[in-house]
mmCIF file of all heavy atoms in Angstrom:
data_model
loop_
_atom_site.group_PDB
_atom_site.id
_atom_site.type_symbol
_atom_site.label_atom_id
_atom_site.label_comp_id
_atom_site.label_asym_id
_atom_site.label_seq_id
_atom_site.Cartn_x
_atom_site.Cartn_y
_atom_site.Cartn_z
ATOM 1 N N ILE H 259 181.766 45.667 -215.894
ATOM 2 C CA ILE H 259 180.323 45.614 -216.088
ATOM 3 C C ILE H 259 179.851 44.247 -215.620
ATOM 4 O O ILE H 259 180.455 43.213 -215.938
ATOM 5 C CB ILE H 259 179.945 45.855 -217.556
ATOM 6 C CG1 ILE H 259 180.161 47.329 -217.917
ATOM 7 C CG2 ILE H 259 178.493 45.447 -217.825
ATOM 8 C CD1 ILE H 259 179.870 47.659 -219.369
ATOM 9 N N ILE H 260 178.761 44.251 -214.867
ATOM 10 C CA ILE H 260 178.183 43.018 -214.335
ATOM 11 C C ILE H 260 176.734 42.949 -214.776
ATOM 12 O O ILE H 260 175.957 43.883 -214.545
ATOM 13 C CB ILE H 260 178.283 42.987 -212.801
ATOM 14 C CG1 ILE H 260 179.755 42.968 -212.377
ATOM 15 C CG2 ILE H 260 177.548 41.779 -212.233
ATOM 16 C CD1 ILE H 260 179.980 43.261 -210.932
ATOM 17 N N THR H 261 176.365 41.868 -215.430
ATOM 18 C CA THR H 261 174.982 41.697 -215.857
ATOM 19 C C THR H 261 174.225 40.842 -214.836
ATOM 20 O O THR H 261 174.819 40.079 -214.092
ATOM 21 C CB THR H 261 174.896 41.052 -217.251
ATOM 22 O OG1 THR H 261 175.283 39.674 -217.179
ATOM 23 C CG2 THR H 261 175.783 41.775 -218.253
ATOM 24 N N GLY H 262 172.913 41.011 -214.819
ATOM 25 C CA GLY H 262 172.129 40.337 -213.789
ATOM 26 C C GLY H 262 172.531 40.830 -212.411
ATOM 27 O O GLY H 262 172.556 40.080 -211.440
ATOM 28 N N ALA H 263 172.824 42.146 -212.320
ATOM 29 C CA ALA H 263 173.456 42.693 -211.120
ATOM 30 C C ALA H 263 172.479 43.024 -209.998
ATOM 31 O O ALA H 263 172.912 43.364 -208.901
ATOM 32 C CB ALA H 263 174.232 43.957 -211.495
ATOM 33 N N SER H 264 171.185 42.923 -210.249
ATOM 34 C CA SER H 264 170.218 43.404 -209.262
ATOM 35 C C SER H 264 169.917 42.409 -208.155
ATOM 36 O O SER H 264 169.285 42.766 -207.155
ATOM 37 C CB SER H 264 168.911 43.806 -209.956
ATOM 38 O OG SER H 264 168.338 42.693 -210.617
ATOM 39 N N SER H 265 170.371 41.163 -208.292
ATOM 40 C CA SER H 265 170.058 40.166 -207.266
ATOM 41 C C SER H 265 171.028 38.994 -207.361
ATOM 42 O O SER H 265 171.815 38.889 -208.311
ATOM 43 C CB SER H 265 168.617 39.645 -207.429
ATOM 44 O OG SER H 265 168.460 38.995 -208.682
ATOM 45 N N GLY H 266 170.968 38.115 -206.376
ATOM 46 C CA GLY H 266 171.684 36.853 -206.409
ATOM 47 C C GLY H 266 173.175 36.976 -206.605
ATOM 48 O O GLY H 266 173.853 37.815 -205.991
ATOM 49 N N ILE H 267 173.701 36.136 -207.484
ATOM 50 C CA ILE H 267 175.133 36.082 -207.748
ATOM 51 C C ILE H 267 175.641 37.416 -208.283
ATOM 52 O O ILE H 267 176.689 37.913 -207.855
ATOM 53 C CB ILE H 267 175.444 34.938 -208.724
ATOM 54 C CG1 ILE H 267 175.224 33.583 -208.031
ATOM 55 C CG2 ILE H 267 176.872 35.040 -209.263
ATOM 56 C CD1 ILE H 267 175.218 32.399 -208.973
ATOM 57 N N GLY H 268 174.919 38.011 -209.221
ATOM 58 C CA GLY H 268 175.350 39.271 -209.801
ATOM 59 C C GLY H 268 175.492 40.364 -208.765
ATOM 60 O O GLY H 268 176.475 41.114 -208.758
ATOM 61 N N ARG H 269 174.538 40.462 -207.873
ATOM 62 C CA ARG H 269 174.592 41.495 -206.823
ATOM 63 C C ARG H 269 175.769 41.240 -205.883
ATOM 64 O O ARG H 269 176.494 42.182 -205.525
ATOM 65 C CB ARG H 269 173.290 41.530 -206.046
ATOM 66 C CG ARG H 269 173.274 42.620 -204.996
ATOM 67 C CD ARG H 269 171.908 42.848 -204.391
ATOM 68 N NE ARG H 269 171.916 44.037 -203.567
ATOM 69 C CZ ARG H 269 170.949 44.944 -203.533
ATOM 70 N NH1 ARG H 269 169.901 44.815 -204.312
ATOM 71 N NH2 ARG H 269 171.031 45.996 -202.734
ATOM 72 N N ALA H 270 175.956 39.989 -205.486
ATOM 73 C CA ALA H 270 177.060 39.659 -204.575
ATOM 74 C C ALA H 270 178.406 39.988 -205.199
ATOM 75 O O ALA H 270 179.305 40.528 -204.537
ATOM 76 C CB ALA H 270 176.995 38.184 -204.190
ATOM 77 N N VAL H 271 178.563 39.687 -206.475
ATOM 78 C CA VAL H 271 179.820 39.968 -207.169
ATOM 79 C C VAL H 271 180.015 41.474 -207.322
ATOM 80 O O VAL H 271 181.123 41.998 -207.114
ATOM 81 C CB VAL H 271 179.859 39.258 -208.531
ATOM 82 C CG1 VAL H 271 181.034 39.744 -209.373
ATOM 83 C CG2 VAL H 271 179.942 37.750 -208.333
ATOM 84 N N ALA H 272 178.956 42.190 -207.669
ATOM 85 C CA ALA H 272 179.065 43.650 -207.812
ATOM 86 C C ALA H 272 179.513 44.287 -206.509
ATOM 87 O O ALA H 272 180.408 45.155 -206.489
ATOM 88 C CB ALA H 272 177.722 44.222 -208.254
ATOM 89 N N GLU H 273 178.913 43.888 -205.417
ATOM 90 C CA GLU H 273 179.268 44.471 -204.116
ATOM 91 C C GLU H 273 180.697 44.112 -203.733
ATOM 92 O O GLU H 273 181.446 44.953 -203.220
ATOM 93 C CB GLU H 273 178.270 44.008 -203.054
ATOM 94 C CG GLU H 273 176.876 44.602 -203.266
ATOM 95 C CD GLU H 273 175.816 44.013 -202.357
ATOM 96 O OE1 GLU H 273 176.089 42.966 -201.716
ATOM 97 O OE2 GLU H 273 174.701 44.580 -202.298
ATOM 98 N N LYS H 274 181.103 42.879 -203.994
ATOM 99 C CA LYS H 274 182.462 42.448 -203.664
ATOM 100 C C LYS H 274 183.496 43.252 -204.448
ATOM 101 O O LYS H 274 184.471 43.765 -203.884
ATOM 102 C CB LYS H 274 182.610 40.958 -203.980
ATOM 103 C CG LYS H 274 183.970 40.373 -203.592
ATOM 104 C CD LYS H 274 184.072 40.226 -202.087
ATOM 105 C CE LYS H 274 185.372 39.606 -201.658
ATOM 106 N NZ LYS H 274 185.442 39.398 -200.192
ATOM 107 N N LEU H 275 183.294 43.367 -205.761
ATOM 108 C CA LEU H 275 184.251 44.092 -206.593
ATOM 109 C C LEU H 275 184.276 45.578 -206.251
ATOM 110 O O LEU H 275 185.346 46.197 -206.202
ATOM 111 C CB LEU H 275 183.937 43.898 -208.076
ATOM 112 C CG LEU H 275 184.676 42.744 -208.779
ATOM 113 C CD1 LEU H 275 184.323 41.396 -208.181
ATOM 114 C CD2 LEU H 275 184.388 42.748 -210.282
ATOM 115 N N ILE H 282 182.151 50.083 -211.187
ATOM 116 C CA ILE H 282 181.209 49.055 -211.624
ATOM 117 C C ILE H 282 180.069 49.642 -212.448
ATOM 118 O O ILE H 282 179.462 50.648 -212.067
ATOM 119 C CB ILE H 282 180.605 48.335 -210.389
ATOM 120 C CG1 ILE H 282 181.692 47.756 -209.482
ATOM 121 C CG2 ILE H 282 179.643 47.236 -210.832
ATOM 122 C CD1 ILE H 282 182.512 46.668 -210.105
ATOM 123 N N GLY H 283 179.748 48.975 -213.559
ATOM 124 C CA GLY H 283 178.525 49.215 -214.304
ATOM 125 C C GLY H 283 177.550 48.100 -214.010
ATOM 126 O O GLY H 283 177.892 46.925 -214.121
ATOM 127 N N LEU H 284 176.337 48.460 -213.616
ATOM 128 C CA LEU H 284 175.331 47.483 -213.173
ATOM 129 C C LEU H 284 174.252 47.337 -214.230
ATOM 130 O O LEU H 284 173.511 48.283 -214.511
ATOM 131 C CB LEU H 284 174.695 47.956 -211.859
ATOM 132 C CG LEU H 284 175.658 48.279 -210.702
ATOM 133 C CD1 LEU H 284 174.922 49.035 -209.600
ATOM 134 C CD2 LEU H 284 176.277 46.990 -210.161
ATOM 135 N N ILE H 285 174.168 46.140 -214.820
ATOM 136 C CA ILE H 285 173.146 45.877 -215.837
ATOM 137 C C ILE H 285 172.106 44.897 -215.298
ATOM 138 O O ILE H 285 172.445 43.839 -214.764
ATOM 139 C CB ILE H 285 173.777 45.311 -217.125
ATOM 140 C CG1 ILE H 285 174.521 46.420 -217.881
ATOM 141 C CG2 ILE H 285 172.723 44.668 -218.033
ATOM 142 C CD1 ILE H 285 175.139 45.981 -219.194
ATOM 143 N N MET H 295 171.371 50.383 -205.631
ATOM 144 C CA MET H 295 172.683 49.758 -205.499
ATOM 145 C C MET H 295 173.798 50.737 -205.810
ATOM 146 O O MET H 295 174.778 50.842 -205.066
ATOM 147 C CB MET H 295 172.793 48.550 -206.429
ATOM 148 C CG MET H 295 172.057 47.313 -205.984
ATOM 149 S SD MET H 295 172.348 45.962 -207.155
ATOM 150 C CE MET H 295 174.122 45.666 -206.923
ATOM 151 N N LEU H 299 177.161 52.022 -203.338
ATOM 152 C CA LEU H 299 178.501 51.502 -203.609
ATOM 153 C C LEU H 299 179.475 52.651 -203.853
ATOM 154 O O LEU H 299 179.072 53.746 -204.262
ATOM 155 C CB LEU H 299 178.454 50.568 -204.820
ATOM 156 C CG LEU H 299 177.615 49.302 -204.631
ATOM 157 C CD1 LEU H 299 177.525 48.513 -205.937
ATOM 158 C CD2 LEU H 299 178.179 48.420 -203.523
ATOM 159 N N PHE H 333 181.560 40.562 -216.232
ATOM 160 C CA PHE H 333 181.022 39.341 -215.609
ATOM 161 C C PHE H 333 179.672 39.101 -216.252
ATOM 162 O O PHE H 333 178.689 39.761 -215.957
ATOM 163 C CB PHE H 333 180.909 39.488 -214.095
ATOM 164 C CG PHE H 333 180.380 38.242 -213.416
ATOM 165 C CD1 PHE H 333 180.859 36.987 -213.757
ATOM 166 C CD2 PHE H 333 179.415 38.329 -212.426
ATOM 167 C CE1 PHE H 333 180.364 35.836 -213.148
ATOM 168 C CE2 PHE H 333 178.924 37.195 -211.797
ATOM 169 C CZ PHE H 333 179.403 35.944 -212.162
ATOM 170 N N ASN H 334 179.651 38.149 -217.159
ATOM 171 C CA ASN H 334 178.508 37.862 -218.022
ATOM 172 C C ASN H 334 177.611 36.868 -217.296
ATOM 173 O O ASN H 334 177.754 35.653 -217.435
ATOM 174 C CB ASN H 334 179.055 37.268 -219.337
ATOM 175 C CG ASN H 334 178.203 37.592 -220.527
ATOM 176 O OD1 ASN H 334 177.220 38.304 -220.438
ATOM 177 N ND2 ASN H 334 178.582 37.049 -221.679
ATOM 178 N N ASN H 335 176.667 37.386 -216.535
ATOM 179 C CA ASN H 335 176.006 36.577 -215.516
ATOM 180 C C ASN H 335 174.499 36.421 -215.690
ATOM 181 O O ASN H 335 173.929 35.436 -215.223
ATOM 182 C CB ASN H 335 176.300 37.227 -214.152
ATOM 183 C CG ASN H 335 175.420 36.724 -213.051
ATOM 184 O OD1 ASN H 335 175.544 35.592 -212.607
ATOM 185 N ND2 ASN H 335 174.515 37.584 -212.591
ATOM 186 N N ALA H 336 173.829 37.344 -216.361
ATOM 187 C CA ALA H 336 172.367 37.334 -216.396
ATOM 188 C C ALA H 336 171.835 36.015 -216.946
ATOM 189 O O ALA H 336 172.328 35.499 -217.950
ATOM 190 C CB ALA H 336 171.850 38.492 -217.241
ATOM 191 N N ASN H 388 179.239 33.161 -216.612
ATOM 192 C CA ASN H 388 178.637 32.299 -215.599
ATOM 193 C C ASN H 388 178.033 31.097 -216.316
ATOM 194 O O ASN H 388 177.018 31.208 -216.996
ATOM 195 C CB ASN H 388 177.560 33.066 -214.826
ATOM 196 C CG ASN H 388 176.967 32.239 -213.696
ATOM 197 O OD1 ASN H 388 177.182 31.040 -213.606
ATOM 198 N ND2 ASN H 388 176.209 32.886 -212.833
ATOM 199 N N ILE H 433 178.943 27.230 -211.362
ATOM 200 C CA ILE H 433 178.492 27.363 -209.977
ATOM 201 C C ILE H 433 177.395 26.343 -209.707
ATOM 202 O O ILE H 433 176.440 26.235 -210.466
ATOM 203 C CB ILE H 433 177.984 28.790 -209.725
ATOM 204 C CG1 ILE H 433 179.082 29.812 -210.067
ATOM 205 C CG2 ILE H 433 177.530 28.968 -208.285
ATOM 206 C CD1 ILE H 433 178.566 31.223 -210.247
ATOM 207 N N THR H 438 170.586 31.261 -203.700
ATOM 208 C CA THR H 438 170.032 32.514 -204.206
ATOM 209 C C THR H 438 168.535 32.311 -204.424
ATOM 210 O O THR H 438 167.987 31.237 -204.148
ATOM 211 C CB THR H 438 170.695 32.893 -205.542
ATOM 212 O OG1 THR H 438 170.403 31.864 -206.506
ATOM 213 C CG2 THR H 438 172.207 33.053 -205.392
ATOM 214 N N GLU H 439 167.886 33.331 -204.959
ATOM 215 C CA GLU H 439 166.446 33.234 -205.215
ATOM 216 C C GLU H 439 166.120 32.046 -206.122
ATOM 217 O O GLU H 439 165.107 31.366 -205.941
ATOM 218 C CB GLU H 439 165.931 34.524 -205.860
ATOM 219 C CG GLU H 439 166.007 35.745 -204.948
ATOM 220 C CD GLU H 439 167.319 36.512 -205.102
ATOM 221 O OE1 GLU H 439 168.332 35.891 -205.503
ATOM 222 O OE2 GLU H 439 167.325 37.717 -204.809
ATOM 223 N N VAL H 461 176.542 32.533 -201.160
ATOM 224 C CA VAL H 461 176.898 33.221 -202.401
ATOM 225 C C VAL H 461 178.181 34.040 -202.257
ATOM 226 O O VAL H 461 178.839 34.360 -203.256
ATOM 227 C CB VAL H 461 175.723 34.097 -202.870
ATOM 228 C CG1 VAL H 461 175.529 35.301 -201.950
ATOM 229 C CG2 VAL H 461 175.898 34.545 -204.310
ATOM 230 N N VAL H 464 181.133 32.589 -204.038
ATOM 231 C CA VAL H 464 181.168 32.816 -205.483
ATOM 232 C C VAL H 464 181.812 34.171 -205.770
ATOM 233 O O VAL H 464 182.665 34.297 -206.649
ATOM 234 C CB VAL H 464 179.756 32.761 -206.085
ATOM 235 C CG1 VAL H 464 179.798 33.107 -207.571
ATOM 236 C CG2 VAL H 464 179.133 31.388 -205.871
ATOM 237 N N ALA H 465 181.407 35.178 -205.018
ATOM 238 C CA ALA H 465 181.972 36.510 -205.213
ATOM 239 C C ALA H 465 183.483 36.506 -204.988
ATOM 240 O O ALA H 465 184.240 37.134 -205.748
ATOM 241 C CB ALA H 465 181.295 37.505 -204.265
ATOM 242 N N VAL H 468 185.077 34.905 -208.129
ATOM 243 C CA VAL H 468 185.079 35.795 -209.298
ATOM 244 C C VAL H 468 186.133 36.882 -209.130
ATOM 245 O O VAL H 468 186.868 37.214 -210.074
ATOM 246 C CB VAL H 468 183.684 36.406 -209.525
ATOM 247 C CG1 VAL H 468 183.736 37.471 -210.623
ATOM 248 C CG2 VAL H 468 182.677 35.320 -209.902
#
Side-chain angles (χ1 to χ4, degrees):
I259 288 178
I260 296 166
T261 71
S264 61
S265 62
I267 290 168
R269 183 169 189 138
V271 169
E273 291 172 347
K274 184 73 178 183
L275 267 62
I282 305 295
L284 306 167
I285 287 182
M295 285 182 66
L299 296 175
F333 181 45
N334 211 3
N335 165 71
N388 184 348
I433 304 163
T438 62
E439 294 91 334
V461 70
V464 176
V468 172

